[in-house]
Amino acid sequence: AQKVTQAQTEISVVEKEDVTLDCVYETRDTTYYLFWYKQPPSGELVFLIRRNSFDEQNEISGRYSWNFQKSTSSFNFTITASQVVDSAVYFCALSEAETDSWGKLQFGAGTQVVVTP
Amino acid sequence: KAGVTQTPRYLIKTRGQQVTLSCSPISGHRSVSWYQQTPGQGLQFLFEYFSETQRNKGNFPGRFSGRQFSNSRSEMNVSTLELGDSALYLCASGTESSTDTQYFGPGTRLTVL
């Protein structure tokens, strides 16, 4: 069963608009970690942010911010004032703190963000 | 600090052949995980190695194997290649924790003809 769902396949915006990416996860663990990665056309997955299940405080880091809500199992990610360089595929990922999940990230299907000038 | 390196970056093989991909983790990282990315299946976990031992394995056939050396470098091998093995193979490195942040390399794009 898919444990991470990214319902948005593609989002197109004009530069300087804000972009919010949705992520819904499923886990029975009480301890888990959530991540957002960015994959530009070059293919490399670039780490953006990480959050653990015990810290629901939402933060802002530069133009990035996130909204973690355990009650709805959601971990949404926002890019403020988007730029053309933000065009990429964004992946939400889950890591469960069970002993049989060492080094295993479970990814959503990804959301393609297209930012036009 | 240098990032994760993967070689080769591109590879073309024919069905039935075998292939070996290499990954060098970030200095000081002892965990290496491998992922396969295809348009149809997305990003899927292959296996993870830590201190030369396989700690976890995904749902892939036995044709997919790997190993890790004492310097933490890892290799992944695919035998008897099939057309469906065409994919981007990504390697990630981390420290020790099962939930540590993984940092990815640029990937090896394998095409099977």
Side-chain angles (χ1 to χ4, degrees), chain A residues 2 31-33 35 37 39 41-47 49-50 89 91 95-109, chain B residues 4 9-10 31 33 35 37 42-45 47-48 55-59 88 90 96-107 109:
Chain A
Q2 188 75 9
T31 302
Y32 53 89
Y33 292 79
F35 302 81
Y37 285 87
Q39 187 176 43
S42 61
E44 181 173 348
L45 278 171
V46 178
F47 166 72
I49 59 172
R50 162 197 170 98
V89 181
F91 290 95
S95 180
E96 297 170 300
E98 301 172 8
T99 54
D100 64 350
S101 294
W102 291 102
K104 178 180 179 181
L105 281 172
Q106 300 172 80
F107 287 90
Chain B
V4 179
R9 293 292 312 279
Y10 302 91
S31 166
S33 296
Y35 295 82
Q37 185 177 26
L43 278 157
Q44 293 186 286
F45 172 77
F47 29 64
E48 188 242 2
R55 276 201 304 200
N56 202 355
K57 189 177 189 304
N59 296 323
L88 179 66
L90 292 160
E96 296 186 27
S97 168
S98 65
T99 52
D100 189 24
T101 298
Q102 294 184 31
Y103 297 92
F104 285 80
R109 185 163 297 280

Side-chain angles (χ1 to χ4, degrees), chain A residues 5-115:
Chain A
T5 302
Q6 293 180 253
Q8 304 152 308
T9 304
E10 180 171 328
I11 298 177
S12 294
V13 297
V14 177
E15 210 170 17
K16 297 185 182 178
E17 289 184 340
D18 295 348
V19 180
T20 296
L21 309 178
D22 298 334
C23 174
V24 175
Y25 63 92
E26 178 186 334
T27 180
R28 294 184 178 181
D29 278 23
T30 55
T31 302
Y32 53 89
Y33 292 79
L34 295 163
F35 302 81
W36 277 97
Y37 285 87
K38 169 184 178 181
Q39 187 176 43
S42 61
E44 181 173 348
L45 278 171
V46 178
F47 166 72
L48 296 176
I49 59 172
R50 162 197 170 98
R51 212 71 197 154
N52 73 57
S53 54
F54 295 106
D55 187 357
E56 287 191 74
Q57 182 177 356
N58 297 312
E59 294 184 14
I60 297 173
S61 175
R63 294 188 299 110
Y64 299 151
S65 62
W66 48 95
N67 186 351
F68 176 33
Q69 293 191 350
K70 288 177 70 172
S71 60
T72 56
S73 296
S74 66
F75 185 51
N76 299 335
F77 177 72
T78 297
I79 306 171
T80 302
S82 61
Q83 301 174 3
V84 173
V85 293
D86 296 326
S87 296
V89 181
Y90 290 78
F91 290 95
C92 179
L94 166 71
S95 180
E96 297 170 300
E98 301 172 8
T99 54
D100 64 350
S101 294
W102 291 102
K104 178 180 179 181
L105 281 172
Q106 300 172 80
F107 287 90
T111 298
Q112 173 79 58
V113 173
V114 178
V115 182

Side-chain angles (χ1 to χ4, degrees), chain B residues 68-86:
Chain B
Q68 186 180 34
F69 302 95
S70 58
N71 61 358
S72 294
R73 188 178 70 87
S74 176
E75 288 183 347
M76 188 192 104
N77 184 276
V78 187
S79 62
T80 318
L81 284 166
E82 300 177 359
L83 295 179
D85 297 333
S86 295

